Amino acid sequence: MKNLLLLPAMFCLLLSCNDDKAEGTGTSSTTDSTGKKKDKDAMPYTATYSSDFEIGKEKHARIVLDIWKAYEENAFDRVRDHFADTITVINSDGIAMTGPRDSIIQLTSEYRNSIPELRTEVDAWLATHADDRDQYFVNIWGKEVFGDGKGKLDSMRLHEVWMFNEDDKIIYMTQYAGAYPED
């Protein structure tokens, strides 16, 4: 009879022990002043910009998708109002341009005019907000298939990061390109 009572007592003791471990992760956590759960375990690196991101504004994702579509259709002028007066663009070749919106759009349009054939595929996008910086971004991943107009095609995978100001205008874009084995 003693053994029968010991088992439920041990079970209750185990249930009452709580060291704030996140269920199933083995990671302990606390809640910060805003009510968000924070990991107590230190990461192997400290982010130089931010590691405090949440989901951002869907309308920013829509803006970036509209820009991708306008670029594909060689109609970049129709999205000019989505850009701030001054923007910075860093393309996949590492060329950085900072200047007035109209100058950047003109250069982008001239480059796009040099591509006779272009098709884009969007793999995914994610609108984010850096809470500790109050800054909005959209990350987009996709593929450009481009051709010389005579049947020769090539492609590249893209990852772009678009940054918005407080007026929901684009102030910065950087692009990373590469190829996947299946391409």
Side-chain angles (χ1 to χ4, degrees):
M1 182 74 169
K2 271 183 169 179
N3 288 339
L4 283 176
L5 291 176
L6 186 59
L7 188 58
M10 288 176 61
F11 183 72
C12 287
L13 182 63
L14 285 173
L15 285 178
S16 67
C17 293
N18 183 357
D19 62 357
D20 285 308
K21 292 231 177 203
E23 189 173 319
T25 64
T27 303
S28 56
S29 63
T30 60
T31 304
D32 71 8
S33 62
T34 64
K36 293 182 186 174
K37 286 224 175 216
K38 295 292 180 183
D39 215 354
K40 282 185 185 176
D41 296 336
M43 295 294 192
Y45 292 94
T46 300
T48 58
Y49 183 79
S50 177
S51 61
D52 188 14
F53 284 89
E54 297 287 332
I55 297 299
K57 296 179 181 179
E58 186 175 332
K59 71 178 176 179
H60 290 159
R62 175 61 189 241
I63 289 169
V64 171
L65 291 169
D66 285 344
I67 290 169
W68 269 48
K69 185 54 111 175
Y71 186 76
E72 178 181 25
E73 294 173 355
N74 201 9
F76 210 64
D77 283 339
R78 76 176 184 221
V79 293
R80 76 180 296 283
D81 290 338
H82 291 308
F83 294 91
D85 291 337
T86 301
I87 55 176
T88 297
V89 174
I90 304 172
N91 69 20
S92 60
D93 294 327
I95 298 170
M97 301 176 282
T98 298
R101 166 185 56 202
D102 292 336
S103 296
I104 301 295
I105 287 175
Q106 180 183 349
L107 288 170
T108 303
S109 295
E110 287 172 7
Y111 176 75
R112 174 57 185 92
N113 286 334
S114 72
I115 304 169
E117 188 178 348
L118 180 74
R119 180 176 46 89
T120 57
E121 299 171 7
V122 176
D123 296 326
W125 63 84
L126 179 64
T128 60
H129 179 257
D131 291 346
D132 56 342
R133 300 251 185 176
D134 194 25
Q135 191 66 60
Y136 288 94
F137 298 89
V138 171
N139 287 274
I140 186 166
W141 296 266
K143 179 180 180 180
E144 275 188 2
V145 179
F146 44 91
D148 61 4
K150 299 174 186 171
K152 183 180 178 196
L153 296 176
D154 202 354
S155 67
M156 66 179 166
R157 292 284 177 176
L158 297 173
H159 171 210
E160 295 177 349
V161 180
W162 297 76
M163 183 183 210
F164 290 79
N165 68 12
E166 63 279 352
D167 297 323
D168 299 322
K169 302 289 185 182
I170 295 163
I171 58 173
Y172 173 85
M173 189 280 287
T174 188
Q175 180 185 72
Y176 306 93
Y180 285 110
E182 74 272 7
D183 288 345

